[in-house]
Structure formats: C-alpha cells, structure tokens
C-alpha cells in the first residue's frame, strides 16, 4: 500500500503566520457576523489571502500533485479561522491540480463540510477545469450531484460551468437546471439565475429561449436573475 504524500509544512506555516500577521480583529468580528459563522474570522481581505497563498507556494513549491492535495486538506481540516479555508481553496488553483480527477474528492469534502456560499462557490468554479479535461466522467458526476440530498452539492453542480463561456456544454447545463429548477431552496434558485445570467453574456438567444421554454417551472427569483442582462424584448418573451 502506497504511503500518503506528506504535507508541505512550509506552505502551511507560511500561510498561517502571514494570515495572523495581517489580522484585523475589528474587521474579523464584522465578517464573522456577516457570514453567520461559528468559525472565527481574522479580518484579512480576500485579495490579500490570495497573495499570501501564492507567496507561500512560490517560496516552497509543491513536489507533487499528491502533496498539494495533502496540504490543501491539512489546511482545510485544521483551520482555526475562515481565512485559512479561503487560502486552502486558493491553493487548488495551482497548475498541478488542473484537470486532475483526484481533486474531485477534495472538492467534494470542501463543499460538504464548508456548507456556505463563500466556500462552496469558489470550489464550484474549480469543477469547470475538471469538466473540460474529463468531460464524460465529470458530466456524469455533475448530473448525479444535481439531485444530491445536500443542496450545497446541488448548487455546485449548477455553478460548475459559470466561467465556461463559449465552452459551456448546454446539454449538461440544461439537464442540471431542469433537475433543480423546481427546488424551493433559496440558494438553489439564486444559483440557477446566476448561471443563466452569466451564460447570457455569451449566448443571450439560448438563455432567452431556455427561460421562455421553462417559464412555468422557473421560480420568479431564478427568472429575474436570468434575464437581467438580456435585451428587453428577449426578457419579456
């Protein structure tokens, strides 16, 4: 049995040290209240968290994709502050993770245990790279996720192609949206509208036709968000 890859302890130490050096307790208390979080917030702004994560990896690069996964999970699971989990998500943007299906269980753990939009949404964006590199396998995963009992998993499936633009698989998008559009959950309805609104920047005719076809099933919230960027004539169709 293969031994698990060791974590990059230098990256972990650098991230944790830098986050605490830049902590703003007053801002952190406000952020924790805004996020309705039981986990403390340090008050470090998201762009600064990204810079900290990038600098830590630049100082001590990952030796392998396995070490990256181990380090990400180590930082995520032992996080004492919300920003540590933000940094863990940022670490998954490394080239070693791109298209690697072994990242899928990492992302799934982050979504299920994170269970709030500030964690789930950026992780969902990572699924797009996996889909582009492993289309058949990931399409089946996302279809399955769209009916998962955990609505955060369902939300991730909806948002997985948010940044795909012209590479969007409309058959997959339709299937995921049709599976979820009757869902009463606010975060699902909002995600459906967001996914359609974003794709309308690339294919407004497709989105207008989809909204018209499903007018009886789409929630008012989803429809309102979906047509926000469409020409008035198309949004009234």
């Amino acid at each position: 049995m293969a031994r698990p890859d060791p974590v990059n302890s230098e990256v972990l130490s650098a991230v944790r040290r830098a986050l605490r050096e830049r902590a703003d307790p007053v801002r952190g208390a406000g952020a924790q209240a805004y996020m309705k979080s039981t986990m403390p917030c340090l008050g470090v702004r998201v762009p600064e968290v990204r810079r900290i994560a990038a600098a830590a990896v630049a100082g001590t690069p990952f030796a392998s994709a396995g070490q990256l996964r181990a380090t990400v999970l180590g930082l995520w699971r032992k996080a004492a502050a919300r920003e540590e989990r933000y940094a863990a998500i940022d670490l998954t943007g490394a080239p070693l993770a791109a298209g690697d299906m072994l990242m899928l269980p990492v992302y799934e753990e982050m979504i299920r245990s994170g269970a709030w939009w500030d964690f789930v949404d950026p992780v969902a964006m990572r699924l797009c790279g996996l889909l582009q590199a492993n289309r058949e396998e990931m399409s089946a995963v996302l279809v399955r996720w769209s009916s998962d009992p955990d609505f955060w998993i369902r939300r991730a499936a909806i948002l997985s192609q948010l940044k795909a633009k012209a590479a969007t698989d409309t058959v997959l998008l339709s299937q995921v949206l049709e599976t979820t559009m009757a869902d009463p959950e606010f975060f699902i309805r909002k995600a459906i509208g967001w996914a359609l609104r974003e794709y309308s920047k690339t294919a407004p005719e497709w989105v207008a036709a989809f909204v018209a076809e499903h007018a009886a099933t789409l929630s008012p919230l989803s429809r309102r968000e979906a047509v926000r960027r469409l020409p008035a004539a198309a949004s009234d169709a």
Side-chain angles (χ1 to χ4, degrees), residues 112 144-154 183 188:
R112 292 191 187 277
R144 187 170 69 250
W145 280 22
S146 69
S147 58
D148 193 275
D150 185 339
F151 75 79
W152 292 112
I153 290 288
R154 300 199 300 275
D183 196 314
I188 295 299

Side-chain angles (χ1 to χ4, degrees), residues 51-104:
R51 286 190 286 270
I52 287 169
V57 175
T60 314
F62 293 111
S64 65
Q67 186 181 63
L68 183 152
R69 292 192 298 274
T71 305
V72 166
L73 287 175
L75 186 57
W76 180 270
R77 291 169 178 171
K78 296 181 180 180
R82 212 161 184 87
E83 288 86 348
E84 290 182 19
R85 287 192 159 183
Y86 296 162
I89 296 170
D90 289 334
L91 293 180
T92 67
L96 279 172
D100 180 5
M101 282 299 290
L102 293 177
M103 288 299 299
L104 182 61

Side-chain angles (χ1 to χ4, degrees), residues 73-171:
L73 287 175
L75 186 57
W76 180 270
R77 291 169 178 171
K78 296 181 180 180
R82 212 161 184 87
E83 288 86 348
E84 290 182 19
R85 287 192 159 183
Y86 296 162
I89 296 170
D90 289 334
L91 293 180
T92 67
L96 279 172
D100 180 5
M101 282 299 290
L102 293 177
M103 288 299 299
L104 182 61
V106 177
Y107 296 145
E108 183 172 358
E109 177 175 334
M110 288 174 151
I111 293 166
R112 292 191 187 277
S113 61
W116 199 242
W117 61 267
D118 61 326
F119 293 144
V120 172
D121 294 359
V123 175
M125 309 306 173
R126 301 293 193 224
L127 300 174
C128 190
L130 293 186
L131 175 63
Q132 300 301 325
N134 310 275
R135 188 165 293 278
E136 184 175 353
E137 187 175 0
M138 275 302 298
S139 292
V141 168
L142 294 171
V143 168
R144 187 170 69 250
W145 280 22
S146 69
S147 58
D148 193 275
D150 185 339
F151 75 79
W152 292 112
I153 290 288
R154 300 199 300 275
R155 180 176 169 97
I158 294 165
L159 299 179
S160 61
Q161 296 195 79
L162 197 68
K163 301 301 181 183
K165 298 181 180 180
T168 297
D169 181 338
T170 55
V171 173

